[in-house]
Amino acid sequence: MIGCIIQARMGSSRLPGKALMKSDSGKPLLYYVINQLRYCSKIKNLVIATTTNQEDDEIEKFANNNSVNVFRGKEKDVLDRYFQCAKKYSFSTIVRITADCPLIDPQIVDKVIEQFFSGNYDFATNTLTRTFPIGTDVEVFSFSALERAWKSAQLPSEREHVTPYLYSHPEKFNTSTLKSKKNLSQFRWALDYENDLKLIRIIISKIQKRPILMNDILELFEQEPDLTKIN
């Protein structure tokens, strides 16, 4: 079973509380992550994985109000959080999305999933060789690979970011990278800083169709090139 685990917490050091910051419409940005992913043809199961910290009670409340499953685990050991979440929900294939990608493109997510199943891969992504815009990041891996990483990873950096152990041990894991036909790595619409928030709010307000796809944003940037200077 394919399960999408969305990593979200309120305690971001760069932009605290960013997951539930509001767009101009008043909806929190985590709503857009969920709504974009609901257009994926290959994902039926969504779970928000947050921490057991009290401040993340708000994340759980959001999940409950939006009919999304929620799992709470360790703050720093996100690898363990993912493993325990995937185990609880019996996911055989895990799609990892972070809450700082409110404009995640469901078509790109589907393509990375297709890439994962196109061969005998343990891990597929569109991030190892950066050709897609920052903010369209997708990682797909098997539960078996996740379990092996969970058992073997020792470094704090390997526990805190879920997948470094997978891609830093090519001798143990068969990985695949989806590349864009055109290098678009100069663009970013991830949510890390105040200026990112400003840009994302503008994109959401100017593009009315749902879901908002990568090409919609690129078209907007072509019409209004100054937008790319915001962040």
Side-chain angles (χ1 to χ4, degrees):
M1 181 166 63
I2 301 173
C4 180
I5 302 178
I6 302 153
Q7 185 177 322
R9 67 188 179 103
M10 295 295 283
S12 166
S13 57
R14 289 178 292 197
L15 193 60
K18 65 182 181 180
L20 294 182
M21 285 180 172
K22 302 285 200 303
S23 68
D24 289 346
S25 70
K27 290 175 179 166
L29 293 179
L30 188 52
Y31 165 85
Y32 289 92
V33 181
I34 301 297
N35 196 56
Q36 293 279 108
L37 290 169
R38 281 178 168 155
Y39 287 94
C40 292
S41 63
K42 302 188 180 303
I43 294 174
K44 297 291 180 278
N45 302 286
L46 294 174
V47 183
I48 296 173
T50 192
T51 82
T52 54
N53 295 353
Q54 187 176 354
E55 63 189 355
D56 288 322
D57 291 352
E58 286 296 308
I59 300 279
E60 182 172 15
K61 183 179 176 183
F62 166 86
N64 293 334
N65 289 341
N66 288 272
S67 303
V68 182
N69 287 322
V70 64
F71 178 86
R72 301 186 72 165
K74 295 177 181 177
E75 178 187 16
K76 300 296 184 185
D77 191 346
V78 192
L79 176 56
D80 181 75
R81 198 194 314 167
Y82 262 73
F83 173 73
Q84 301 299 343
C85 179
K87 187 177 177 182
K88 177 181 177 179
Y89 288 98
S90 302
F91 294 152
S92 55
T93 302
I94 296 95
V95 180
R96 178 176 178 249
I97 303 293
T98 59
D100 54 14
C101 293
L103 298 174
I104 187 72
D105 185 326
Q107 293 183 356
I108 295 174
V109 176
D110 281 341
K111 284 177 183 175
V112 178
I113 295 171
E114 286 171 8
Q115 183 85 358
F116 176 80
F117 285 110
S118 69
N120 188 29
Y121 296 117
D122 298 302
F123 177 61
T125 184
N126 65 339
T127 63
L128 287 184
T129 302
R130 173 65 68 181
T131 58
F132 283 90
I134 297 168
T136 63
D137 302 15
V138 187
E139 294 181 323
V140 182
F141 40 89
S142 67
F143 180 80
S144 170
L146 177 63
E147 185 172 34
R148 280 185 282 151
W150 176 75
K151 287 178 177 177
S152 303
Q154 300 293 327
L155 298 174
S157 60
E158 294 172 341
R159 308 295 305 189
E160 192 175 352
H161 298 292
V162 186
T163 52
Y165 189 85
L166 297 178
Y167 56 72
S168 61
H169 290 82
E171 76 285 359
K172 295 182 180 180
F173 302 98
N174 191 12
T175 66
S176 178
T177 296
L178 178 73
K179 295 181 182 178
S180 171
K181 291 176 183 175
K182 184 179 179 183
N183 187 352
L184 302 167
S185 59
Q186 72 271 30
F187 297 108
R188 66 169 275 128
W189 46 80
L191 178 61
D192 287 312
Y193 304 100
E194 200 70 44
N195 284 342
D196 297 330
L197 177 63
K198 183 179 178 182
L199 175 64
I200 290 165
R201 282 173 169 162
I202 291 170
I203 293 170
I204 290 171
S205 68
K206 285 182 176 286
I207 300 175
Q208 299 303 311
K209 68 182 282 286
R210 299 291 182 265
I212 298 173
L213 304 178
M214 176 182 74
N215 287 337
D216 299 325
I217 300 172
L218 295 176
E219 192 176 306
L220 175 64
F221 285 174
E222 202 170 306
Q223 294 166 357
E224 301 184 43
D226 284 351
L227 291 178
T228 61
K229 298 173 185 175
I230 291 174
N231 65 342

